Amino acid sequence: MEGKRLLRFLFLIFSVVLLLLFTLLNLPYEPSDKAELLDCATYSPWCTSKNRFQSKMPQLLQNSPKPTRRHHSADVPHHPLDPLTLQEFNKVRTILSSHALLKSSSSYALHSVVLEEPDKPLVLRWRKGNPLPPRKASVIARVDGVSHVLSVNIDTGEVTQLETGSISGFPTMTIEDMNSATWAPLANADFNRTILERGINLADLACLPISSGWFGKIEEKRRLIKIQCYSMEGTANFYMRPIEGLTVLIDLDTREVVEIADKGKNIPIPKAADTDYRYSAQNIHQELNLVNPISIEQPKGPSFTVEDDHLVKWANWEFHLKADPRAGVIISRAKVRDPGTGEMRNVMYKGFTSELFVPYMDPTDAWYFKTYMDAGEYGFGLQAMPLDPLNDCPRNAYYMDGVFAAGDGTPYVRSNMICVFESYGGDIGWRHSESPITGMEIREVRPKVTLVVRMAASVANYDYIVDWEFQTDGLIRSKVGLSGILMVKGTPYVNMNQVNQQENLYGTLLSENVIGVIHDHYITYYLDMDIDDSDNSFVKVNIRREQTSPGESPRKSYLKAVRNVAKTEKDAQIKLKLYDPSEFHVINPSKKTRVGNPVGYKVVPGGTAASLLDLQDPPQLRGAFTNNQIWVTPYNQSEQWAGGLFVYQSQGEDTLAVWSDRNRAIENKDIVLWYTLGFHHIPCQEDFPIMPTVSSSFDIKPVNFFENNPILRIPPNVEKDLPVCKAAASA
Amino acid sequence: MEGKRLLRFLFLIFSVVLLLLFTLLNLPYEPSDKAELLDCATYSPWCTSKNRFQSKMPQLLQNSPKPTRRHHSADVPHHPLDPLTLQEFNKVRTILSSHALLKSSSSYALHSVVLEEPDKPLVLRWRKGNPLPPRKASVIARVDGVSHVLSVNIDTGEVTQLETGSISGFPTMTIEDMNSATWAPLANADFNRTILERGINLADLACLPISSGWFGKIEEKRRLIKIQCYSMEGTANFYMRPIEGLTVLIDLDTREVVEIADKGKNIPIPKAADTDYRYSAQNIHQELNLVNPISIEQPKGPSFTVEDDHLVKWANWEFHLKADPRAGVIISRAKVRDPGTGEMRNVMYKGFTSELFVPYMDPTDAWYFKTYMDAGEYGFGLQAMPLDPLNDCPRNAYYMDGVFAAGDGTPYVRSNMICVFESYGGDIGWRHSESPITGMEIREVRPKVTLVVRMAASVANYDYIVDWEFQTDGLIRSKVGLSGILMVKGTPYVNMNQVNQQENLYGTLLSENVIGVIHDHYITYYLDMDIDDSDNSFVKVNIRREQTSPGESPRKSYLKAVRNVAKTEKDAQIKLKLYDPSEFHVINPSKKTRVGNPVGYKVVPGGTAASLLDLQDPPQLRGAFTNNQIWVTPYNQSEQWAGGLFVYQSQGEDTLAVWSDRNRAIENKDIVLWYTLGFHHIPCQEDFPIMPTVSSSFDIKPVNFFENNPILRIPPNVEKDLPVCKAAASA
């Protein structure tokens, strides 16, 4: 007995020493200076260096283009929707630090500090040159374990506490939450022991903070997170080396280990070989240089301007663009020029990715809770890292930074978080040739050039490439590309011939001991359409078969378009049906075209996958905004986040589905359209060790908005305008 | 009475004189030399000139790039699938002209002369350097009113007559059929009178040959076509000026007017103003030069080669490419390199657009029959006009010609009918950044470059842009863009406020007196997949909700993938369902990956619209290949055209639907996958007077075909490889 206790004691000591060693060796992971950790690109060296160059091709580094580095210290707001500036962030921090609520607290953290957008009528009335409406910050603070929503008037210093009601859930985690939780298990000797027992050197450990969802009593009133770990021995792609079955439940507030589940001791850690995807880790003699260099070139430069840091003007479009810690990218006040009148016409007041829902399809102990809601839990914008020039965006791109606040309110700059570029991939805007049948000498073709706004959020393993693409014909395409790395599960199997046909692997055997678990992705967009003015209606244009009467026609049937104006929200809860199709228009009932059609835009669905989970399943209750593919709600400033304001561990009582079920009137009102892009993902071996991008998109598209084709008069390409290029000199 | 007869006589004389005048003035429409009419680009001047430059910008013409003009007189076949050469066409013509069947006939026309592809095993065994299998032509001839399918051995001169059974329908029209039918009404005094009565100068008349479909007795045993006409007074876009309600039924063989229906006398011809889309017809002071010049540049040239005129090699892909008068573009023997073994692996033996179905949704007299099947009726390739360099395809494109035969067997060259180019629009092949959570210094991104094969078919008013896009990750995207001009209907209405709510316009009022009639587009693809070898199986991987047992998991439900191998054709008649989704794999059951998954490709649906017409409606019987979105049939050389070999006026007894209902075995067989892209099109004012391109696509995509990500080792872009460009000097 005594001997056993001594052994335990020695082990504990050993573990602690190891832990200390590890902490010292890996100090950058928990730096004392939070700003340095967070301030990717402006101060910390790693975000801008490219390790592939560092390790094998240092001479190339100087050839890499460097987008202009901006310091933002002199930024001032020019537009009512401009995000908070560095100076404003600092003012907010000062105001709050002396405010009674925070000053008297034993601990607090600011989970969100963003511009409190002025009321919509104020923004709509505002014109360039007018004074800005009062600048306010909307702050979500957690003070002694209680969430508060504060409105901070930056000029007057006034702080107002807003009532949020007694809804469940917690604010978006801070980066500090995620970091501290990730390393919290190392303070636990049992955890360290189990790691060592699995044969893993603590220095090779990489852990991830996995939102625990909500499944009942245990999650209540306590902010919890689950930590799962991986071995990074021999690979940068530790995601492919799970320590399967080991789940550590952590209290996010106390960093205390609540529970350790350790159920995968018989499951080997998959091998490191062939998992590293970095260029520097490949055998260069096996390099696969498949294509000659190719580039989008604009000899006269780009055709867009960014006025006052945020107002993008391109071709016939104009919109306000900003980074947001939760949504990622926010497009506001999108207007398009009417080619007839020259007037800029309102299309969309505000559009952004409101929430994501990513349920994994494995009900077992270490997997059931993986039902991510990336925007509200992790911050879709917080996870968007600096873009890689020439690869994430073409050479002709313009880069925009995000300025966010750390948990203590200190602002930091996320450099090059968004890029804007003109795209031409050889597509055709419109064309017509006359055929020999008519014998006319006509061949008229116009190339299609678009403007893309891009962000890439890396929510741990997965990478979401979020594009807003503007076309000159008035169409806006919202596209999401999925790349990055699968979340995989360890298994004893190395070949499918070992697997009994009855057994459910919950996914695909991707490599020896690696299963890619089936999952869905849903990305729900908030689209506050303002077609010319704010008051709009939602019209379902149902396409129905009509049977002809006997003798009426040699045809038995044809399709007819039947218009139905949605009166209330339930009329606009849409499940798409291939055999009962409709078009979905947002129209301005007060404005008609010359020949009397209501002006409008339609949402053109794409990327349609529907959630099939039980509607009463806890994850689906929280992700109930995916119960329909389309919803329409009356504009309500407080209804912006489809999964609710406090998504973390929410129970689903503040989702779009709940709001919509109030069944409010939506006809001829200021309305918001919600669209959900969906993907079912059954992994395949091609997704290993990193996934080729899979994309889906939907469009919002003018429908009788213009009197006629708005790009009728654009000229064709002619040789004399195109650049003269030569190969760059070799190094 | 006498006076009335005199008036009639004078009118007739007047009409005949007018007709003669018109014929003389418009002689190029019916030239004596057929080759000149058909040989677009090589001999006739109009196909290569750009009237926009001629009229207003002649100085630009010399700056236009001119793809290499090929004369083809020295072409020889190098590959078993190479199309017939000019010399071979001439041999076939000579052989046939002395063959008893044609020699003894009073009239004949060759409706199709194409290579008779050697049997698949011969092609699969053939290697470069081997002698070619015997060269044969497959000829569809109409001799004294009877259709014959002939096999002509080009070397031996042997002609074999093939049995086609007693199926209904006629071969694809010849261009001569379409031309002569178009002008046939002018020989009819009643027709001319009615045109004059409508106030149209005969010199302003433009007519279209509209396939009449099949609706019962009247169409039987007689080859018929319907002619409808337009006024081109004041516009090149005569399509917007219909002479509504006037339909002339013509016997295609005798060119005789069978019937004139004239029911729209009260419907005004819409105005010409604002209908012309040509650049030369725009007011230049209103020019809308929205964007600066932009170009895809490749300083070291394109990365692909075209060996022996038809074998395209690019990156990890290789395929045979040719033009076909009916299908347009045929891709054969598509193979992709396995990055592990370096071996070229079979993916698709043959892929092409097999048939189109375009039903209009108006059951009235002048519209009910508009249910086009463009490939089998008009020839999708015959209607593909020369592409416009810099606008239809980017500057870096390579152009390929088609060589086809006229109705008398004379070959002609359709120059620049297909283009091949590398595309880069700024997309991302794969990426991953590590987030601050893990703190690792990783940002790895690879740009996505693809190879596009493009054709644009102008089937009278509509333009179909048909793209095959090859990706280095093994994916093939089939995309169809719709542009061109709507088929519109005249109406007395000038504003929707004149229209009773109950009234069915069958479409949208687009402009004064112009209705864009609702219609569908279906494009059915033939995809003879050979995953590594010819014997494959079709697997439905159904995604189903599983409920957990009580106590099993905090989750109530999850999704499970259930594999079902299709045994027979009926198992593979697929209607897509959003709430009962599946993946659709073509696998090689004899070949497994290292970890034991069957190698395969999946079809990833997109552009899903289903035909909703009554299954017993005559057009839907003929277009029954659209009854499902996916079908799988056992390979059968005679089953290539989804609407049947003789589509014109067919009754639907030789369609894919009929073949599939035989319910043959398809497991572990050489199988053909059929996919239908669909569009419902409710026109809108933006489509007037010419439509911005609308695109849809589907993918065939590797699924456990490769051991892992096949583009893991490709390098990122670096600045030093990209071109150095400057603006071209101004003229």
Side-chain angles (χ1 to χ4, degrees), chain A residues 58-220:
Chain A
Q59 77 286 0
L60 293 188
L61 201 56
Q62 65 227 63
N63 284 324
S64 283
K66 287 170 197 67
T68 317
R69 193 64 52 75
R70 294 177 207 84
H71 282 280
H72 299 280
S73 45
D75 284 2
V76 286
H78 295 94
H79 186 284
L81 299 176
D82 278 357
L84 298 180
T85 62
L86 276 181
Q87 292 184 13
E88 289 175 327
F89 273 110
N90 284 324
K91 278 191 195 166
V92 171
R93 193 170 53 131
T94 308
I95 293 167
L96 287 177
S97 64
S98 63
H99 187 261
L101 179 72
L102 278 65
K103 208 173 175 181
S104 63
S105 71
S106 64
S107 79
Y108 72 88
L110 308 185
H111 287 253
S112 173
V113 183
V114 293
L115 174 78
E116 180 180 310
E117 294 190 356
D119 286 346
K120 193 167 163 180
L122 280 179
V123 177
L124 290 172
R125 275 202 301 273
W126 184 86
R127 294 287 173 277
K128 188 166 174 157
N130 291 2
L132 291 182
R135 296 283 290 174
K136 293 181 184 175
S138 174
V139 176
I140 298 177
R142 220 171 119 70
V143 186
D144 294 333
V146 180
S147 303
H148 297 271
V149 180
L150 308 171
S151 169
V152 180
N153 186 314
I154 295 171
D155 302 321
T156 64
E158 189 188 359
V159 178
T160 318
Q161 219 169 311
L162 304 180
E163 191 50 62
T164 59
S166 60
I167 51 170
S168 64
F170 301 106
T172 305
M173 286 183 282
T174 62
I175 298 278
E176 295 86 347
D177 277 338
M178 302 178 220
N179 270 286
S180 58
T182 304
W183 302 104
L186 286 166
N188 182 292
D190 287 342
F191 174 81
N192 292 336
R193 184 164 49 240
T194 221
I195 295 299
L196 294 170
E197 279 170 8
R198 298 258 192 145
I200 295 160
N201 192 325
L202 282 178
D204 290 329
L205 199 66
C207 299
L208 292 181
I210 300 175
S211 56
S212 56
W214 171 78
F215 291 89
K217 289 284 168 228
I218 189 182
E219 280 91 2
E220 265 170 44

Side-chain angles (χ1 to χ4, degrees), chain A residues 47 63 432 443 463 719 725, chain B residues 47 63 432 443 463 719 725:
Chain A
C47 289
N63 284 324
H432 184 60
R443 191 166 24 144
D463 290 54
E719 181 79 13
C725 301
Chain B
C47 289
N63 284 325
H432 184 59
R443 191 165 26 143
D463 290 55
E719 181 79 12
C725 301

Side-chain angles (χ1 to χ4, degrees), chain B residues 279-346:
Chain B
Y279 192 64
S280 61
Q282 309 306 312
N283 289 324
I284 289 294
H285 69 270
Q286 289 179 280
E287 182 177 319
L288 212 58
N289 212 336
L290 292 173
V291 296
N292 288 344
I294 187 166
S295 177
I296 302 174
E297 293 296 328
Q298 296 184 281
K300 294 180 181 166
S303 325
F304 64 91
T305 56
V306 182
E307 281 183 9
D308 295 337
D309 302 329
H310 294 284
L311 199 65
V312 181
K313 294 185 173 182
W314 173 76
N316 46 354
W317 280 102
E318 168 185 319
F319 56 90
H320 186 275
L321 171 63
K322 66 178 164 188
D324 182 81
R326 183 161 178 173
V329 167
I330 295 181
I331 305 284
S332 300
R333 306 240 51 206
K335 302 178 198 177
V336 67
R337 184 175 296 109
D338 190 298
T341 63
E343 159 203 22
M344 295 303 296
R345 294 171 63 189
N346 290 322

Side-chain angles (χ1 to χ4, degrees), chain A residues 47 63 292 303 360 368 392 423 425-426 431-432 443 454 463 555 557 593 617 685-686 690 709 719 725, chain B residues 47 63 303 360 368 392 423 425-426 431-432 443 454 463 555 557 593 617 685 690 705-706 709 719 725:
Chain A
C47 289
N63 284 324
N292 288 344
S303 326
Y360 281 71
Y368 74 89
D392 267 322
S423 172
R431 86 178 307 284
H432 184 60
R443 191 166 24 144
R454 175 170 295 166
D463 290 54
R555 283 274 283 275
S557 63
T593 60
D617 207 346
Q685 288 184 232
E686 286 78 5
I690 190 162
N709 181 333
E719 181 79 13
C725 301
Chain B
C47 289
N63 284 325
S303 325
Y360 281 72
Y368 74 89
D392 267 322
S423 172
R431 85 177 308 283
H432 184 59
R443 191 165 26 143
R454 175 169 295 167
D463 290 55
R555 282 275 281 274
S557 62
T593 60
D617 207 345
Q685 288 184 231
I690 191 163
F705 181 81
F706 296 111
N709 180 334
E719 181 79 12
C725 301

